[in-house]
């Protein structure tokens, strides 16, 4: 399961190598800087394109969560909606390498950010920020969308969970059969 999640990699023979993970404060800082480098850049890609129907659907879903859904929906559904937002925009970049990197960091966040999802107020704010990015895109303003994405990542990073709690929870999840 850890291999499927990209946390370990099998080498030749019987060895395993641990992949980068959000396991300490330095890793969180690196992750935030990495996300600030790559996620806003999806909008600058020459191949960036998202169908208006897909954009409208994504905006409607994020708005519904911002307007109360974040207070009532199951936490797993909220993480999936958050991941769908980031991954869908990454795919829209038209750059397979950016999309792969964003999918991978999103997988790592799935294990490391369960504590963040305990603050439903922050989740609602996060979905509002997503909606703002999407509204900028509906207006054709990719530069504004990039700036708003940067601000969103900074806000999310500022509300990151306590690393000690993350370690305990991640260990429980990964060792559960």
């Amino acid at each position: 399961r850890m291999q499927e999640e990209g946390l370990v990699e099998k080498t030749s023979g019987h060895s395993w190598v641990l992949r980068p993970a959000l396991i300490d404060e330095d890793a969180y800082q690196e992750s935030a800087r990495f996300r600030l480098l790559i996620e806003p850049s999806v909008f600058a890609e020459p191949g960036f394109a998202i169908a208006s129907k897909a954009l409208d659907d994504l905006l409607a879903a994020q708005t519904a969560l911002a307007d109360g859904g974040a207070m009532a929906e199951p936490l797993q559904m909220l993480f999936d909606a958050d991941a769908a937002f980031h991954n869908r925009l990454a795919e829209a970049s038209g750059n397979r390498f950016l999309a792969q990197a964003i999918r991978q960091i999103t997988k790592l966040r799935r294990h490391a950010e369960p504590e963040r999802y305990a603050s439903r107020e922050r989740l609602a704010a996060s979905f509002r920020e997503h909606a703002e990015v999407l509204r900028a895109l509906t207006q054709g303003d990719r530069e504004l969308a990039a700036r708003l994405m940067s601000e969103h990542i900074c806000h999310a990073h500022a509300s990151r969970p306590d690393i000690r709690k993350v370690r305990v929870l991640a260990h429980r999840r990964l060792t559960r059969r």
Side-chain angles (χ1 to χ4, degrees):
R1 182 171 175 195
M2 290 176 70
Q3 184 178 17
E4 288 173 13
E5 295 294 332
L7 297 173
V8 296
E9 180 180 337
K10 182 125 174 77
T11 62
S12 60
H14 299 287
S15 301
W16 293 87
V17 174
L18 292 173
R19 305 290 299 161
L22 300 176
I23 58 171
D24 59 29
E25 187 59 32
D26 289 340
Y28 267 106
Q29 296 294 335
E30 292 169 17
S31 167
R33 289 192 307 272
F34 178 72
R35 290 184 68 204
L36 281 169
L37 284 171
I38 66 167
E39 289 199 49
S41 70
V42 302
F43 306 112
E45 280 298 299
F48 182 87
I50 185 166
S52 61
K53 169 85 169 102
L55 184 58
D56 291 343
D57 291 348
L58 199 52
L59 178 57
Q62 298 296 310
T63 301
L65 292 168
D67 291 344
M71 301 312 241
E73 295 293 340
L75 292 178
Q76 183 60 51
M77 182 272 188
L78 297 175
F79 184 88
D80 291 344
D82 179 68
F85 167 80
H86 290 280
N87 290 338
R88 182 63 189 98
L89 292 177
E91 291 165 14
S93 74
N95 182 322
R96 68 191 102 183
F97 300 102
L98 274 174
Q100 178 184 3
I102 292 169
R103 279 192 309 272
Q104 181 60 31
I105 198 73
T106 301
K107 281 183 183 179
L108 293 177
R109 288 175 45 230
R110 178 180 301 276
H111 296 293
E113 295 187 355
E115 284 295 308
R116 185 176 84 113
Y117 284 80
S119 170
R120 290 189 180 256
E121 292 79 18
R122 175 59 204 139
L123 282 171
S126 183
F127 290 119
R128 278 191 295 279
E129 293 163 6
H130 290 178
E132 289 175 19
V133 170
L134 295 169
R135 282 189 202 96
L137 291 175
T138 63
Q139 297 167 4
D141 194 340
R142 290 172 27 183
E143 192 173 303
L144 176 59
R147 192 181 88 236
L148 292 169
M149 180 66 83
S150 293
E151 291 172 6
H152 166 63
I153 292 167
C154 288
H155 293 151
H157 182 66
S159 67
R160 70 190 180 282
D162 181 324
I163 190 66
R164 293 166 300 195
K165 291 179 182 178
V166 168
R167 284 182 179 164
V168 170
L169 292 172
H171 181 265
R172 285 183 192 157
R173 257 191 323 279
L174 292 171
T175 56
R176 201 179 304 149
R177 291 206 177 252

